[in-house]
Amino acid sequence: MIHIEQLRLKFPGAEKRLFTDVSLSIKKGEKVLLLGPSGCGKSTLLQVMAGIIPRSIDVPMKAKALHIPKQVGYVFQDPDAQFCMPYVDEEIAFVLENLGVPRAEMKEKIERVLQRVRLRLPHVHVPIQTLSGGMKQRLAIASVLALDPDVLFLDEPTALLDEEGTKAVWETLKEVADDRTVVIVEHKIDHILDFVERIILFNECGEMIADGPTDHIFSTYRSFIAEQGIWYPEVWEMYEKPKTAQQPYHPSDVLLHVQSLRGFRQKEEKITVDDVVIRAGEWIAVTGENGAGKSTLLQSFMKLIRTEGDMYWRGELVKNDGVLYDNIAFVFQNPEFQFVTNRVDDELAYCLRLEKRSEYEIEEEVERLLRRFHLSAQRHLHPYQLSMGQKRRLSVAASVTERHRILLLDEPTFGQDAKNTFALLEWLEAYRQQGKAIVMVTHDERIVSQFATRRWIIENGKLVADETIVPRTLVRGGI
Amino acid sequence: MRWSIEHKETWLHETNPTVKLLLFLPMFIVIVFVHNPNVLINWTIGFTALFMSFSGYRMKHMLLFFVPFFFIFISTSLSMILFGKGETTWFRFGLIHVTEESFYRGVHLGFRTLLFAIFGLMFALTTKPVFLFYSLMQQAKLKPKYAYSFLAAIRLLPIMLEEFQTVHQALKVRRAAKAKGFRGKLELIKRYAIPLLSQSIRRAQRIAVAMEAKGFTNERARTFYYELTLGKYDVYLFVVICMIVAMGYYVADAFPYVPIKDVR
């Protein structure tokens, strides 16, 4: 089906060749997973196999032999960057138009592919913008199915989805795969291990280091896979969390007290909280379904949207939003939106300069932060040039200063690999130990059960449950 | 985020977008070469009536759309009226000099902008972008390459607006959403523009790759999901426009509101 011999490829401007003499072949009907650290070139290889390189993206490459399939379907990572039409039916029709399918047959074909991916909509003419991430990805699969491909290429199709969407997308993909050849690049591999039969493992240099049946690769290369920060099934069991995690902190005085807080979006009430307090040394996990109002809750705490109700900061009524900005830090989901300067070290110094500290003091603090967050080598770079994990670390380091007592985070581990996730969680735990409070929106049950001391459940714009989490190790110890 | 405003579909929505464009565009030019304010006033009344009766939008919304254009009407006519040149002085106070000629010229200019606004609104509110580009591909033989690029770009706009709000919040939290002085303001524009642009450029590139991956090339003959043809409504629109234009001239001649026939 696919046969590549001695592929050489180099991105213009890059120092090193990405691939030197990579050869592989994939048989018809095989389900293959390409696994390796980020930046090793898996996605590039996938694009070569799909013909996207060099047809759509012009990259100089050479291969002794290159047999690639004609009918391919490619599902991309970003749900917002693979559609060109505003409505569901129009998007699938776009594919059918490309194929020259007669108009009379389109309606039926559109309905058929939507049914295959189980995208149940009131009618086919629904704005794509109103769909959730998981639904968008299933629409992407539907439009790819309209091409009737022999090979499906999946480039981290669930990297930007929550747990629920991830599950739904993989279930759909397993159903529609049939006897088609499937080649996957993915970091979160819990859901696909029973689906893929063969794994090709790469190292940082783009060299193939192993190629074989799933079980064999996993038993032989377990420690290598763990080192690369890949989310493999037992990653949490292998992980040893800090000893302090979930241990109570003293003194746990009240920082923020919120009374009948209501947050609005365009006159519509989106979140209601009756009466809650946030205490020093707490790690509160905010959970709930997509669109329940978790992010809105955090935004209300910062008064970033219109709110009603009273907030008390350490017993005093908040009259000026400045009090909130001074004491509460907010880390957004997309780190790029928070960067305000052109250099990593300036970024770290920005908040300190606003506090009018002496340059000497600022310089020392920046040095400390660079070391603490492993960014010293990148200090001269533009924040946008950093990797995913580095951007996340920088956004946390730059948002938080000493005077902040509460840290709000909107899904900070989203799209991060296992290594970066654990590093961030450990830093947050150390931060909590300084008597700070953490309020974090998350979809990851493991984080809740391993790190949080409290859990808030949001349902339909209401805080419906506020429960203390008892660490499991304590229970097992037999109190 | 909701973008469309609730409305009914009328026969104006059923007209062919290319035909509508071909009928409206010449009107913009014609309007510039009409110098009789009476004609312009009649046309404004006629086309406003057409717009109000058949746009399918609620009166409340239509009036709201007109608010900005009303201000433009006032400001363009006033600047002409107050500071124009002319022989017959009505009023003089310092720099202000109102003459009969400048008054009529001002009013004329005001109605001209109002007419532009009506045609623009009428086109924008009764034409779906998707249909416009499908029609341009089918009737005007626009290359699909351009049509679909525009459609993809339209999809990006609401996403950009949402991102703008997020960037604004993110900067506010870091106390970076305000700046003093000219250089500060310049810096501020950069702070908003760079994340928004970099996101959009990357997204646009990804969409382009995705479109090609879905078989979008120039090589094959395309079929169309929406078939746009010419119909009786296009004839209606043509007739209605001709009638309003002709009636405007006739009424201006028979029952003039202002005594001037040429404002030049």
Side-chain angles (χ1 to χ4, degrees):
Chain A
M1 196 85 235
I2 303 171
H3 180 70
I4 296 175
E5 233 172 283
Q6 298 189 353
L7 171 73
R8 288 176 176 216
L9 182 146
K10 181 174 169 288
F11 276 98
E15 275 172 37
K16 274 197 306 189
R17 235 189 335 239
L18 187 57
F19 299 122
T20 309
D21 297 339
V22 167
S23 305
L24 88 166
S25 46
I26 291 168
K27 286 199 279 294
K28 190 170 165 31
E30 263 190 312
K31 317 281 187 269
V32 185
L33 172 68
L34 308 183
L35 207 55
S38 35
C40 75
K42 313 174 294 271
S43 297
T44 311
L45 188 59
L46 204 64
Q47 288 175 338
V48 171
M49 286 194 258
I52 289 178
I53 294 177
R55 198 186 56 226
S56 302
I57 305 172
D58 196 13
V59 181
M61 56 169 264
K62 202 171 88 184
K64 204 169 161 203
L66 187 68
H67 294 287
I68 54 171
K70 274 217 180 73
Q71 300 266 70
V72 302
Y74 201 104
V75 179
F76 296 83
Q77 188 184 70
D78 187 348
D80 278 322
Q82 46 186 317
F83 306 120
C84 62
M85 302 294 286
Y87 288 91
V88 168
D89 56 335
E90 292 169 355
E91 182 59 37
I92 297 170
F94 170 73
V95 177
L96 300 173
E97 290 174 351
N98 292 340
L99 295 172
V101 171
R103 200 169 96 88
E105 295 168 28
M106 284 186 184
K107 266 258 138 60
E108 191 228 315
K109 286 208 157 134
I110 291 170
E111 263 157 34
R112 208 171 54 217
V113 290
L114 284 176
Q115 237 161 34
R116 287 214 66 189
V117 299
R118 308 233 166 139
L119 203 58
R120 287 196 193 85
L121 303 166
H123 51 92
V124 292
H125 196 64
V126 170
I128 294 176
Q129 235 188 304
T130 60
L131 304 182
S132 72
M135 288 162 94
K136 280 182 193 160
Q137 285 304 69
R138 277 187 285 162
L139 171 62
I141 298 165
S143 52
V144 159
L145 286 180
L147 287 165
D148 195 24
D150 300 324
V151 188
L152 277 177
F153 292 102
L154 312 172
D155 191 357
E156 300 195 51
T158 62
L160 299 175
L161 303 184
D162 58 23
E163 189 54 31
E164 204 187 282
T166 304
K167 233 191 204 153
V169 164
W170 284 120
E171 267 165 27
T172 307
L173 279 168
K174 284 173 198 173
E175 272 178 35
V176 302
D178 296 334
D179 51 352
R180 291 181 224 270
T181 315
V182 184
V183 188
I184 308 169
V185 168
E186 184 59 270
H187 276 120
K188 297 189 288 183
I189 56 179
D190 312 25
H191 295 283
I192 47 169
L193 281 181
D194 57 336
F195 175 60
V196 294
E197 28 199 62
R198 177 176 160 198
I199 294 181
I200 302 176
L201 203 57
F202 291 86
N203 66 7
E204 303 84 347
C205 311
E207 291 161 349
M208 256 164 70
I209 55 167
D211 179 357
T214 306
D215 300 337
H216 171 73
I217 296 285
F218 251 85
S219 47
T220 322
Y221 294 92
R222 174 178 296 263
S223 59
F224 177 81
I225 292 171
E227 269 170 47
Q228 305 305 329
I230 290 159
W231 285 112
Y232 62 99
E234 297 90 30
V235 72
W236 275 98
E237 279 75 15
M238 307 270 286
Y239 174 68
E240 215 172 298
K241 66 176 181 180
K243 293 216 162 46
T244 56
Q246 296 181 311
Q247 301 300 326
Y249 176 86
H250 295 289
S252 59
D253 34 337
V254 175
L255 296 176
L256 188 70
H257 181 186
V258 171
Q259 261 182 343
S260 53
L261 181 74
R262 294 184 297 155
F264 298 85
R265 244 180 219 167
Q266 281 140 16
K267 289 185 191 168
E268 224 176 306
E269 192 174 308
K270 287 284 185 195
I271 187 82
T272 330
V273 181
D274 288 337
D275 194 321
V276 290
V277 291
I278 300 173
R279 291 167 188 280
E282 279 192 314
W283 183 318
I284 301 168
V286 184
T287 61
E289 276 175 30
N290 267 326
K294 300 183 296 291
S295 306
T296 318
L297 176 71
L298 296 197
Q299 288 163 0
S300 311
F301 281 155
M302 284 299 255
K303 295 208 176 181
L304 289 175
I305 53 174
R306 197 167 66 80
T307 54
E308 276 173 19
D310 291 332
M311 294 212 247
Y312 298 88
W313 180 257
R314 312 192 94 183
E316 247 176 78
L317 183 68
V318 175
K319 286 183 189 141
N320 179 352
D321 294 357
V323 177
L324 296 174
Y325 300 151
D326 281 342
N327 293 297
I328 307 178
F330 196 135
V331 176
F332 281 73
Q333 202 180 71
N334 185 344
E336 288 190 3
F337 290 157
Q338 268 185 299
F339 297 142
V340 292
T341 65
N342 300 328
R343 273 167 59 136
V344 170
D345 45 6
D346 284 340
E347 196 61 34
L348 292 171
Y350 182 81
C351 273
L352 306 170
R353 289 201 176 116
L354 278 188
E355 287 175 17
K356 301 227 158 50
R357 299 222 213 150
S358 73
E359 269 310 303
Y360 174 72
E361 210 182 335
I362 290 173
E363 212 167 291
E364 241 178 24
E365 179 67 15
V366 168
E367 283 304 325
R368 203 182 59 81
L369 285 169
L370 285 170
R371 275 198 304 275
R372 181 85 187 76
F373 286 88
H374 306 291
L375 290 167
S376 300
Q378 287 81 24
R379 64 178 303 164
H380 299 298
L381 293 182
H382 192 284
Y384 279 46
Q385 289 175 296
L386 302 176
S387 73
M388 270 285 245
Q390 290 166 343
K391 274 182 200 159
R392 169 51 75 213
R393 292 207 294 276
L394 178 63
S395 75
V396 173
S399 312
V400 182
T401 64
E402 264 168 41
R403 50 187 183 127
H404 290 121
R405 295 297 305 273
I406 298 181
L407 178 54
L408 307 176
L409 302 111
D410 195 353
E411 295 194 60
T413 58
F414 191 78
Q416 300 281 330
D417 65 14
K419 218 155 101 185
N420 287 326
T421 301
F422 290 135
L424 181 68
L425 289 172
E426 280 162 27
W427 181 84
L428 288 173
E429 176 54 29
Y431 186 70
R432 184 181 78 93
Q433 284 304 315
Q434 297 166 24
K436 319 268 185 173
I438 291 162
V439 182
M440 174 170 154
V441 172
T442 183
H443 279 113
D444 195 335
E445 274 306 312
R446 301 293 194 126
I447 295 178
V448 182
S449 65
Q450 298 294 314
F451 282 91
T453 63
R454 241 168 106 191
R455 176 213 281 268
W456 288 349
I457 300 172
I458 313 287
E459 245 177 59
N460 293 325
K462 246 183 127 69
L463 180 68
V464 291
D466 178 359
E467 48 203 37
T468 309
I469 294 173
V470 183
R472 255 181 257 156
T473 43
L474 270 181
V475 177
R476 231 185 286 145
I479 304 168
Chain B
M1 197 165 295
R2 223 166 49 116
W3 271 80
S4 59
I5 299 152
E6 188 194 332
H7 64 272
K8 286 196 295 265
E9 305 263 300
T10 62
W11 66 273
L12 268 184
H13 294 257
E14 305 271 319
T15 50
N16 187 294
T18 307
V19 172
K20 212 186 301 182
L21 199 65
L22 286 179
L23 287 176
F24 284 9
L25 275 181
M27 282 306 290
F28 280 89
I29 299 160
V30 170
I31 289 165
V32 176
F33 289 103
V34 169
H35 302 293
N36 186 343
N38 293 300
V39 176
L40 276 196
I41 293 171
N42 287 333
W43 285 1
T44 308
I45 294 168
F47 286 110
T48 308
L50 174 68
F51 174 64
M52 294 270 180
S53 339
F54 297 111
S55 78
Y57 286 79
R58 289 214 218 129
M59 187 54 88
K60 183 177 83 178
H61 291 142
M62 285 192 286
L63 290 178
L64 266 176
F65 291 139
F66 267 114
V67 169
F69 297 109
F70 183 70
F71 278 109
I72 297 174
F73 172 79
I74 301 274
S75 61
T76 44
S77 12
L78 264 187
S79 57
M80 201 58 161
I81 291 170
L82 296 181
F83 309 109
K85 286 194 183 95
E87 319 262 284
T88 334
T89 299
W90 282 356
F91 178 75
R92 188 195 276 277
F93 179 78
L95 273 177
I96 296 171
H97 182 203
V98 182
T99 62
E100 191 182 346
E101 290 87 343
S102 73
F103 176 78
Y104 289 129
R105 218 172 284 148
V107 171
H108 186 80
L109 213 63
F111 277 104
R112 195 183 276 173
T113 46
L114 216 54
L115 263 176
F116 283 162
I118 289 166
F119 277 110
L121 277 177
M122 194 145 55
F123 188 82
L125 291 178
T126 63
T127 313
K128 283 199 187 115
V130 174
F131 286 171
L132 171 64
F133 286 105
Y134 268 82
S135 163
L136 285 175
M137 280 191 285
Q138 290 170 34
Q139 271 85 47
K141 301 284 170 255
L142 178 73
K143 279 204 173 134
K145 187 165 69 171
Y146 300 111
Y148 286 95
S149 318
F150 270 104
L151 286 170
I154 291 171
R155 238 187 70 77
L156 284 177
L157 291 177
I159 299 177
M160 271 187 92
L161 198 84
E162 253 168 74
E163 278 177 351
F164 174 79
Q165 283 165 349
T166 312
V167 171
H168 178 65
Q169 290 186 348
L171 293 181
K172 218 163 124 184
V173 168
R174 295 197 65 194
R175 300 213 155 181
K178 277 185 201 142
K180 277 183 206 145
F182 181 71
R183 285 188 64 173
K185 292 269 188 278
L186 212 65
E187 185 63 30
L188 200 61
I189 292 172
K190 266 208 264 173
R191 249 176 236 162
Y192 279 96
I194 288 172
L196 288 176
L197 284 177
S198 86
Q199 286 282 347
S200 302
I201 290 167
R202 272 182 286 178
R203 193 167 283 137
Q205 201 254 353
R206 283 192 215 126
I207 291 177
V209 171
M211 282 165 76
E212 291 194 357
K214 286 179 188 173
F216 183 60
T217 51
N218 277 331
E219 293 148 24
R220 231 181 316 216
R222 306 181 63 80
T223 47
F224 292 105
Y225 182 49
Y226 297 119
E227 204 177 319
L228 285 125
T229 48
L230 305 185
K232 55 179 179 184
Y233 296 119
D234 302 308
V235 182
Y236 289 0
L237 185 63
F238 178 69
V239 172
V240 169
I241 291 179
C242 288
M243 266 164 53
I244 294 175
V245 169
M247 285 293 284
Y249 270 115
Y250 172 73
V251 175
D253 213 37
F255 315 99
Y257 313 100
V258 291
I260 281 183
K261 287 222 167 121
D262 192 331
V263 291
R264 278 176 299 181

